[in-house]
Amino acid sequence: MEKFSRWRDAGTGIQPFLPPVPARQSTSALESLISALSMVIKPVLGLAKLLVAAVVSTVMFIFVDGIGSILTETVTLRRGRSAGAAASSSKKASGKKAMPWGQIIVSNWTSYIDVLYLAFRYDPVFTQIYPDTLTVREVSMWKAMELSGSYPELAPPQGVQTYPLIDFLKDSQQKGKGPIVIFAEGTTSNNRALLKFVPLFRKCQIPETNVDINILAFKYDYQKFCPTFTVGFGRKSQIGHMFRTCAQFYNQLTVRALAAEERPSNSNFSALSGLASTPIGLATGVVESVVDGDALGSVILNLMGQISRLRKTGLGVRDKADFLDFYVQRNSGVSATAATKKSGGVASRASASSAKKRA
């Protein structure tokens, strides 16, 4: 849409914030009839799946085992090595002694379904990132789901204690908590590209052997309605999105994990190999620059782009806040912060102030 062209990445031409809309296709009379019948069946299907979730008393079950399928695979970026060999190496590496700072999981963020998958698979500690202060705080799984698609908080609300990433990792490790989930983009995208990372890893080195860094990439395959959730305020909006996702006949989530020996926490990892890539449209062997003084974050983003085969953009969390300001105003006539407060969602005063200054 031309009205949203301001948030189209100049380098890739990708718009990473708009909810995906399927392309219009010419259909025959038979296809039109089948489509009409599916419009009757899909709401029933969606309601049935939600009822199953209520019976088993967990939303997680329906998203992991009910509405579609999940494919999890270990990926190696080294030529000549099989996925089986990479998986074997990962299993061996998983048996090593605990790192002094613990374990983190860095992944792209596209939906509340990502949160459910991570909770089901790893039982981790979820975090919320504040770009203005480059700090994080612990949040519950339900809070992480609520934050998906909501207006991003750029600074912590008054009275909320936050910590630099390294301090948070050390404290969590001392308390014996599980792996720490870092959604380094700071907000959700529509799964068509990767957003610029918030520079949380500036004080880390390469390789960073004090922490076990797991790099995951989420990608969705679906029929017409996309499970990604980039715009939505409050539980009512999320429940409506859940229902439409459940109403589809087919959804598949593919999760790709980088092999353990190729992660930047491996002692043999080099910054040069981490920044060298062959993204679409660029020549083989291109070495990319460090972004915002965050060498480790740039490496992780680059590796994530390679295992996900998603392009990297120059857009980030602040661009998402600007986009939501415009998107909500355009579609409802009210500001994004007002829409968030009305729905009971999340929007900090700092975010609203920052948005006004940008306007």
Side-chain angles (χ1 to χ4, degrees):
M1 300 180 182
E2 291 302 321
K3 60 186 177 183
F4 298 109
S5 59
R6 174 183 168 188
W7 293 278
R8 188 178 298 279
D9 180 59
T12 63
I14 297 173
Q15 216 299 6
F17 301 137
L18 274 175
V21 178
R24 293 182 179 180
Q25 298 178 346
S26 58
T27 58
S28 64
L30 178 59
E31 290 173 326
S32 297
L33 177 61
I34 294 174
S35 178
L37 290 173
S38 68
M39 294 300 292
V40 177
I41 297 173
K42 285 182 177 181
V44 178
L45 181 64
L47 181 60
K49 289 180 178 179
L50 287 176
L51 287 175
V52 169
V55 170
V56 297
S57 302
T58 173
V59 177
M60 188 182 304
F61 172 83
I62 193 171
F63 278 94
V64 174
D65 295 316
I67 66 164
S69 60
I70 294 180
L71 173 64
T72 303
E73 57 185 11
T74 301
V75 178
T76 177
L77 300 176
R78 297 182 182 178
R79 295 182 179 181
R81 296 197 66 223
S82 65
S88 177
S89 298
S90 296
K91 289 181 180 179
K92 292 179 182 179
S94 64
K96 60 187 177 182
K97 64 180 181 180
M99 300 287 191
W101 296 354
Q103 181 183 30
I104 63 172
I105 299 170
V106 187
S107 73
N108 59 329
W109 192 13
T110 63
S111 177
Y112 48 84
I113 302 175
D114 306 344
V115 177
L116 287 171
Y117 171 86
L118 291 167
F120 179 85
R121 186 69 183 270
Y122 299 100
D123 189 24
V125 174
F126 291 98
T127 59
Q128 181 176 2
I129 295 172
Y130 295 100
D132 283 357
T133 57
L134 297 183
T135 57
V136 302
R137 69 159 173 157
E138 180 178 348
V139 296
S140 67
M141 180 194 77
W142 302 109
K143 183 65 173 181
M145 289 179 64
E146 180 185 343
L147 292 171
S148 303
S150 68
Y151 194 96
E153 293 184 87
L154 302 180
Q158 187 175 3
V160 172
Q161 181 67 51
T162 64
Y163 306 88
L165 179 59
I166 293 178
D167 294 342
F168 183 83
L169 289 172
K170 291 178 179 178
D171 181 69
S172 296
Q173 174 74 344
Q174 290 174 359
K175 294 178 179 178
K177 296 184 178 181
I180 311 300
V181 170
I182 304 294
F183 292 123
E185 294 166 296
T187 187
T188 51
S189 72
N190 59 18
N191 209 215
R192 289 181 173 173
L194 297 174
L195 305 180
K196 184 171 64 174
F197 277 10
V198 176
L200 291 172
F201 304 95
R202 283 180 174 175
K203 294 185 178 180
C204 298
Q205 58 186 0
I206 303 175
E208 185 49 86
T209 56
N210 289 304
V211 60
D212 185 15
I213 303 172
N214 296 267
I215 303 175
L216 303 184
F218 295 103
K219 288 192 76 173
Y220 289 90
D221 186 19
Y222 55 95
Q223 289 178 313
K224 292 185 178 180
F225 184 73
C226 185
T228 63
F229 193 65
T230 59
V231 179
F233 303 102
R235 294 175 182 174
K236 183 178 179 180
S237 177
Q238 283 196 345
I239 291 173
H241 189 275
M242 287 181 188
F243 179 81
R244 294 189 66 182
T245 302
C246 288
Q248 291 206 112
F249 294 123
Y250 174 81
N251 296 281
Q252 178 172 293
L253 168 60
T254 299
V255 185
R256 295 191 176 99
L258 183 63
E261 62 183 24
E262 299 178 38
R263 300 171 188 166
S265 51
N266 186 293
S267 59
N268 296 319
F269 187 90
S270 71
L272 185 61
S273 62
L275 290 172
S277 66
T278 55
I280 299 173
L282 293 180
T284 301
V286 169
V287 177
E288 301 183 10
S289 59
V290 171
V291 179
D292 294 332
D294 187 354
L296 180 59
S298 298
V299 165
I300 295 174
L301 176 60
N302 192 49
L303 294 172
M304 189 180 295
Q306 292 185 64
I307 65 174
S308 66
R309 298 184 178 89
L310 292 173
R311 303 282 296 276
K312 299 182 291 295
T313 69
L315 301 173
V317 62
R318 288 181 173 80
D319 299 293
K320 175 69 174 291
D322 285 337
F323 167 81
L324 288 175
D325 286 336
F326 181 82
Y327 182 92
V328 176
Q329 182 78 34
R330 181 91 180 190
N331 287 275
S332 65
V334 298
S335 68
T337 49
T340 305
K341 291 176 182 178
K342 183 177 180 181
S343 64
V346 179
S348 69
R349 294 181 181 178
S351 299
S353 176
S354 180
K356 289 180 181 178
K357 289 179 180 179
R358 290 192 301 273

